[in-house]
Amino acid sequence: MKPGSLLAVLASGVLFGFGLALSTMIKPEIVLDFLRWRDFGLLLVLAGAVVVTLITYQLAPRVLARPILAGRFDRHAVFGRRDTLVGAAIFGAGWGFCGVCPGPGIAGIGAANWPLAYAIAGISLGALLQGWFFGRLDDDGTEAAARPPEVSKEETSKEEPSKEEAGTSATS
């Protein structure tokens, strides 16, 4: 990753952590109150994040020729896969049991809420075990099995006839 990208990630992380701490989402009791339908502050935090992300992901590709810190705009190609749905359910169960979401948990450690370190250690251990037993991510963060196989130019040219070949075969 380029130094400019690293600084942008750091600045975004600072903004994220500051917002989580300011909104008190770094306290597991606040998160658990939301999950028990007693406090809807987290819903406002989530709604704000969704609105900003939706606007950014819809407008940025229309306004910019390419992303500021990347070569091209990409889409998440594995939406709705079985592993995504099962993982989301397991994540939700873990979140409900301990009241700690990874981002707020890390931010809480930064705010000296030291018991959250146990939850973050457990989250890290769970991710490590998943990687050991069920597959690893490539260096670029994508799951190797989720990416389509590389197709060479020779293979694509064999499958698709050129315009001249298509025209001569239609007239013969």
Side-chain angles (χ1 to χ4, degrees):
M1 193 177 268
K2 296 178 183 177
S5 296
L6 291 173
L7 286 174
V9 170
L10 178 64
S12 298
V14 168
L15 181 67
F16 181 59
F18 186 87
L20 287 171
L22 182 65
S23 66
T24 69
M25 294 302 120
I26 61 172
K27 297 179 179 177
E29 56 273 13
I30 300 291
V31 174
L32 288 171
D33 279 348
F34 166 73
L35 294 173
R36 293 179 189 138
W37 298 87
R38 294 181 186 160
D39 181 353
F40 295 105
L42 180 58
L43 193 57
L44 295 173
V45 173
L46 290 171
V50 167
V51 167
V52 169
T53 302
L54 181 67
I55 290 170
T56 303
Y57 275 69
Q58 294 300 314
L59 290 180
R62 295 176 186 169
V63 175
L64 302 172
R66 69 176 192 83
I68 296 169
L69 299 172
R72 66 174 195 249
F73 290 102
D74 288 326
R75 297 205 181 266
H76 186 56
V78 294
F79 177 76
R81 288 185 38 225
R82 180 187 59 85
D83 289 351
T84 303
L85 299 174
V86 170
I90 293 170
F91 170 83
W95 187 27
F97 288 140
C98 71
V100 178
C101 192
I106 293 168
I109 293 170
N113 189 348
W114 301 118
L116 291 175
Y118 289 102
I120 297 303
I123 291 167
S124 299
L125 181 60
L128 180 67
L129 291 172
Q130 189 282 332
W132 275 348
F133 294 110
F134 298 103
R136 296 187 181 267
L137 300 178
D138 285 344
D139 292 338
D140 63 355
T142 59
E143 186 179 351
R147 283 189 289 145
E150 296 291 328
V151 179
S152 67
K153 290 182 181 179
E154 294 83 27
E155 290 175 352
T156 56
S157 63
K158 289 177 188 174
E159 295 172 5
E160 299 174 7
S162 66
K163 290 180 182 177
E164 293 124 12
E165 291 173 352
T168 56
S169 62
T171 57
S172 16

